[in-house]
Amino acid sequence: MINKDIIEKLKKKNNSIILAHNYQLPEIQDIADYIGDSLDLAIKATKNDADNIIFCGVNFMAESAKILNPDKNVILPDINAKCPMAEKVDKNLLEKLIIENKDAEVVSYINTTTEIKAISDICCTSSNGVNVIKSIKSDKIIFVPDKNLGNFLKKYIPEKEMIIWPGVCPTHNRIHKNHILNLKKLHEDAIILVHPECRSEVIEISNHALSTNGMINFVKNSKSNEFIIGTEKGLCYRLKIENPDKNFYPINSAICPNMKKITIDKVINCLLKNEPCINIEKTIMEKARVPLEKMMNIKRGD
Ligand code: SF4
């Protein structure tokens, strides 16, 4: 059994805080100081006076926290917790695309590596993507790396040309229309909420496409009691904790194995040793900070 008192004592001793993404295991969400989506956690990382930030998520999230807080110790409990979609963007190919399209601005989803952020004009998350994309002055946009999110955002700027990188999140791309329709047959009154990283045919049959925090706010304010949740299954834990009288129907196969690499034992190890730390070379970190800070100035859209 986890002794929460021990974790609290260790946090106080080292002036540490624990940030956890909405997709983390229930036991990690239970010990976190803040739970949220990528944008939320990036903001939380900048607005606290802890010396050590233990980031329970995947590496691009911890790297973003480090870029925005270069003087703090940002610790990722498992250095192998990586987002496969972020890792797959080839920097050389993107640079070639940028040279071929000199008039385009590069919008990179926060789910990218630091080196890709460093050659981007602005970042976005799924919660402020629409507002970011609308803020772009250029008539041409290169969007990396999620083609599902890119196609979703393109609908908001039909007059512009958008070159969309062909990446996908394997977890969200695994959600098919039939998963949703089968749940809907069982729960006719349920509202369908899906993440914009889902395939377009899944988004089309949903009631709303929202970021994870967007879903949390929607459910809280909704009079409905039943929801089909088309995103990583871990979100349903937080939804149920915050809305015990409502029912949530997840897609059971929508599990991100990288998010689940963070365990209590690894978090305790971080609290004891203050490692493994995120270290980023100064020049690339300064370049990557520019698009991230630009993004932070754009409000959420959900
Ligand atoms: S859920 Fe998808 S986008 Fe998020 S970390 Fe996992 S693979 Fe990457």
Side-chain angles (χ1 to χ4, degrees):
M1 194 150 125
I2 307 150
N3 189 333
K4 283 192 183 168
D5 290 345
I6 292 176
I7 291 178
E8 284 309 314
K9 271 185 196 153
L10 287 169
K11 280 199 288 191
K12 272 197 190 112
K13 185 171 163 249
N14 297 333
N15 192 21
S16 302
I17 58 161
I18 298 176
L19 305 184
H21 190 270
N22 287 322
Y23 297 157
Q24 287 292 293
L25 289 166
E27 56 268 34
I28 300 292
Q29 296 193 32
D30 287 347
I31 56 152
D33 295 288
Y34 300 106
I35 312 166
D37 63 11
S38 308
L39 182 57
D40 240 1
L41 296 179
I43 294 168
K44 285 283 184 307
T46 57
K47 294 193 174 154
N48 70 83
D49 49 20
D51 296 319
N52 300 295
I53 298 171
I54 297 172
F55 209 116
C56 300
V58 289
N59 64 342
F60 74 81
M61 298 176 176
E63 285 176 15
S64 299
K66 178 68 182 177
I67 294 165
L68 293 165
N69 300 275
D71 299 328
K72 288 189 181 179
N73 220 11
V74 177
I75 301 163
L76 180 62
D78 186 327
I79 222 75
N80 293 315
K82 296 180 178 176
C83 168
M85 174 169 68
E87 297 294 314
K88 275 193 186 141
V89 181
D90 182 318
K91 183 175 171 253
N92 293 334
L93 277 183
L94 179 58
E95 279 174 332
K96 190 167 171 274
L97 202 57
I98 293 170
I99 292 167
E100 287 166 0
N101 297 277
K102 286 200 169 60
D103 51 340
E105 281 187 61
V106 181
V107 179
S108 68
Y109 192 24
I110 196 164
N111 304 37
T112 45
T113 59
T114 301
E115 64 171 9
I116 296 301
K117 288 185 179 77
I119 55 169
S120 302
D121 293 295
I122 188 166
C123 294
C124 75
T125 70
S126 51
S127 61
N128 68 5
V130 173
N131 289 341
V132 167
I133 219 86
K134 284 180 177 171
S135 76
I136 304 294
K137 298 275 182 292
S138 166
D139 288 332
K140 202 192 262 189
I141 293 167
I142 297 171
F143 184 83
V144 282
D146 186 354
K147 76 169 181 189
N148 291 335
L149 177 63
N151 287 327
F152 172 76
L153 295 175
K154 171 81 183 87
K155 291 185 191 136
Y156 291 86
I157 45 158
E159 72 289 0
K160 297 204 177 184
E161 185 183 345
M162 208 159 144
I163 302 165
I164 301 172
W165 196 268
V168 289
C169 157
T171 301
H172 286 91
N173 210 47
R174 207 177 292 138
I175 301 174
H176 287 269
K177 204 171 153 179
N178 277 346
H179 291 124
I180 306 284
L181 294 175
N182 289 342
L183 283 172
K184 186 71 178 169
K185 268 188 217 153
L186 295 172
H187 311 285
E188 284 179 9
D189 296 333
I191 292 183
I192 303 168
L193 304 179
V194 304
H195 195 278
E197 284 176 25
C198 289
R199 295 161 180 264
S200 55
E201 63 265 30
V202 170
I203 293 177
E204 273 161 25
I205 57 163
S206 72
N207 295 102
H208 303 280
L210 297 166
S211 70
T212 52
N213 266 38
M215 290 186 197
I216 287 162
N217 292 333
F218 183 90
V219 166
K220 191 168 89 186
N221 297 317
S222 172
K223 289 196 171 65
S224 296
N225 285 321
E226 294 190 294
F227 303 87
I228 293 166
I229 303 296
T231 190
E232 213 273 355
K233 199 180 167 185
L235 181 70
C236 289
Y237 179 72
R238 182 172 170 195
L239 285 169
K240 191 67 185 171
I241 292 276
E242 294 181 8
N243 306 274
D245 299 333
K246 298 188 177 186
N247 293 317
F248 304 97
Y249 309 114
I251 313 300
N252 284 324
S253 55
I255 294 174
C256 173
N258 282 283
M259 284 283 181
K260 307 309 191 213
K261 282 185 177 157
I262 311 299
T263 61
I264 286 286
D265 286 349
K266 290 175 189 172
V267 172
I268 292 176
N269 198 42
C270 294
L271 286 164
L272 290 168
K273 297 183 180 162
N274 281 340
E275 59 175 31
C277 292
I278 299 288
N279 291 307
I280 307 170
E281 196 271 318
K282 195 169 173 248
T283 317
I284 191 167
M285 183 153 66
E286 281 171 4
K287 284 186 184 159
R289 190 175 304 124
V290 177
L292 267 177
E293 285 186 341
K294 266 200 215 167
M295 172 193 85
M296 305 282 276
N297 290 328
I298 296 192
K299 64 177 171 60
R300 307 185 72 97
D302 51 34

